Amino acid sequence: MLRSQRNPKQLNMNIGTQILILEVSMGPFFGHSIIHPVLLKDEDGLTLIDSGMLGQLEPMRKAISDVGEDISRLKRIIITHQDIDHIGNVQALLDLLPNTALLAHKDDIPYMTGERPFIKLTPERINLMEPALKQQAEDMIRRLPDLRFAHMLEDGEHLPYGGGIQIIHTPGHTPGHISLYVPAHKLLLAADELRVVEGELVGPAESATPDMPLALKSLDKLTVLDVDKVLCYHGGYYDQNVQAHLQALSQSRE
């Protein structure tokens, strides 16, 4: 059951007692658009799914506080893929909590450690940023070789966090993009494989997806899951005939 943590106008919500949906603004450079990292709550502490954008340490701390938790209880961060709004805040979090474990799919880790250049965060894109954000992006890239990943995630892998999650490798948006399935709640944490746009569930953004045919093919993996609600990093929560929408999106590529 989805219920508001504060008042009906706020989007901070939880699903059951172990899955907490956060709401964080990406700031003026990105039109103050809202992203939705997720906290998984267990007895040993918290697991954060995606770190947020560059410069978001304090907004992330507040978002965690808004759902009744403390950032100091963070034990691990699962990064769904290499894009800047998912990995951009990870170094600040690790500076604050250096013992926090990092997890990501093996196909995106080389980009997040600087072994390979980011696919979308190109020098040309960085040069378009306002000066302060540009400096943050350059500093992040410089520090990438310092990142250490405690675990390389595999497609189909089951992890105990949040009552149990399954890793679903959904490449296309990036090579190592993952979504996460929470079977106990029939919930899909879709990352950027799906979006909610003007109240409708849609596929990944073509402008930000280098291999759109592969990303659409990855939707096939989601249609076989027993899903009745979706949390999208961009757009938030959706629970209207989810499986029918997934089938339609998957078939649209044919």
Side-chain angles (χ1 to χ4, degrees), residues 171 193 211-222 250 253:
E193 178 66 8
D211 193 338
M212 194 67 177
L214 181 58
L216 294 176
K217 187 173 186 232
S218 290
L219 290 170
D220 292 348
K221 291 184 175 182
L222 307 182
S250 178
R253 67 185 175 86

Side-chain angles (χ1 to χ4, degrees), residues 35 66 68 74 80 85 103 107 111 171 183-184 201 226 239 250:
I35 54 175
D66 284 346
L74 191 61
T80 63
D85 54 332
L103 300 84
D107 290 350
Y111 300 92
L201 188 66
D226 186 8
D239 65 355
S250 178

Side-chain angles (χ1 to χ4, degrees), residues 135-149:
Q135 186 63 57
Q136 288 179 320
E138 291 172 344
D139 289 345
M140 180 196 71
I141 290 172
R142 176 179 52 82
R143 297 183 60 193
L144 288 177
D146 296 334
L147 292 182
R148 298 290 182 268
F149 284 81

Side-chain angles (χ1 to χ4, degrees), residues 83 110 130 174 189:
D83 285 355
E130 56 91 17
T174 70
L189 304 175

Side-chain angles (χ1 to χ4, degrees), residues 111-148:
Y111 300 92
M112 294 187 278
T113 58
E115 183 180 339
R116 298 178 185 174
F118 283 122
I119 293 173
K120 288 172 263 184
L121 187 61
T122 62
E124 293 77 14
R125 184 180 178 192
I126 292 173
N127 283 334
L128 294 175
M129 295 177 174
E130 56 91 17
L133 189 62
K134 177 182 177 182
Q135 186 63 57
Q136 288 179 320
E138 291 172 344
D139 289 345
M140 180 196 71
I141 290 172
R142 176 179 52 82
R143 297 183 60 193
L144 288 177
D146 296 334
L147 292 182
R148 298 290 182 268

Side-chain angles (χ1 to χ4, degrees), residues 14-253:
N14 67 8
I15 297 174
T17 60
Q18 292 182 277
I19 301 169
L20 312 177
I21 301 172
L22 307 181
E23 179 187 88
V24 183
S25 170
M26 286 179 62
F29 186 80
F30 297 91
H32 295 285
S33 63
I34 300 297
I35 54 175
H36 297 279
V38 173
L39 278 181
L40 306 179
K41 182 178 178 180
D42 294 287
E43 288 186 5
D44 77 328
L46 303 172
T47 300
L48 178 65
I49 301 174
D50 286 325
S51 75
M53 183 60 183
L54 292 165
Q56 285 191 326
L57 179 60
E58 292 310 314
M60 182 67 75
R61 190 199 302 268
K62 182 181 184 303
I64 292 172
S65 176
D66 284 346
V67 295
E69 298 296 328
D70 193 287
I71 199 170
S72 65
R73 297 191 67 238
L74 191 61
K75 298 298 182 185
R76 60 195 68 85
I77 303 171
I78 297 174
I79 302 293
T80 63
H81 62 290
Q82 63 182 273
D83 285 355
I84 189 173
D85 54 332
H86 295 256
I87 192 176
N89 200 40
V90 75
Q91 290 164 341
L93 288 167
L94 292 176
D95 288 343
L96 179 68
L97 302 165
N99 293 324
T100 303
L102 283 183
L103 300 84
H105 190 273
K106 61 181 182 178
D107 290 350
D108 259 19
I109 286 178
Y111 300 92
M112 294 187 278
T113 58
E115 183 180 339
R116 298 178 185 174
F118 283 122
I119 293 173
K120 288 172 263 184
L121 187 61
T122 62
E124 293 77 14
R125 184 180 178 192
I126 292 173
N127 283 334
L128 294 175
M129 295 177 174
E130 56 91 17
L133 189 62
K134 177 182 177 182
Q135 186 63 57
Q136 288 179 320
E138 291 172 344
D139 289 345
M140 180 196 71
I141 290 172
R142 176 179 52 82
R143 297 183 60 193
L144 288 177
D146 296 334
L147 292 182
R148 298 290 182 268
F149 284 81
H151 184 65
M152 293 189 296
L153 299 170
E154 300 273 359
D155 186 36
E157 183 173 357
H158 292 264
L159 299 171
Y161 314 128
I165 58 174
Q166 182 181 355
I167 304 301
I168 312 294
H169 183 210
T170 46
H173 189 71
T174 70
H177 184 282
I178 59 170
S179 304
L180 297 95
Y181 176 52
V182 188
H185 296 285
K186 298 184 180 181
L187 168 69
L188 178 68
L189 304 175
D192 286 1
E193 178 66 8
L194 296 167
R195 298 169 296 145
V196 178
V197 178
E198 296 182 353
E200 293 297 325
L201 188 66
V202 300
E206 187 168 3
S207 62
T209 304
D211 193 338
M212 194 67 177
L214 181 58
L216 294 176
K217 187 173 186 232
S218 290
L219 290 170
D220 292 348
K221 291 184 175 182
L222 307 182
T223 63
V224 301
L225 301 174
D226 186 8
V227 176
D228 61 18
K229 43 191 170 286
V230 177
L231 191 281
C232 302
Y233 199 69
H234 300 281
Y237 181 78
Y238 189 90
D239 65 355
Q240 302 298 311
N241 300 316
V242 172
Q243 288 192 307
H245 279 84
L246 290 176
Q247 290 287 349
L249 288 170
S250 178
Q251 292 168 6
S252 68
R253 67 185 175 86

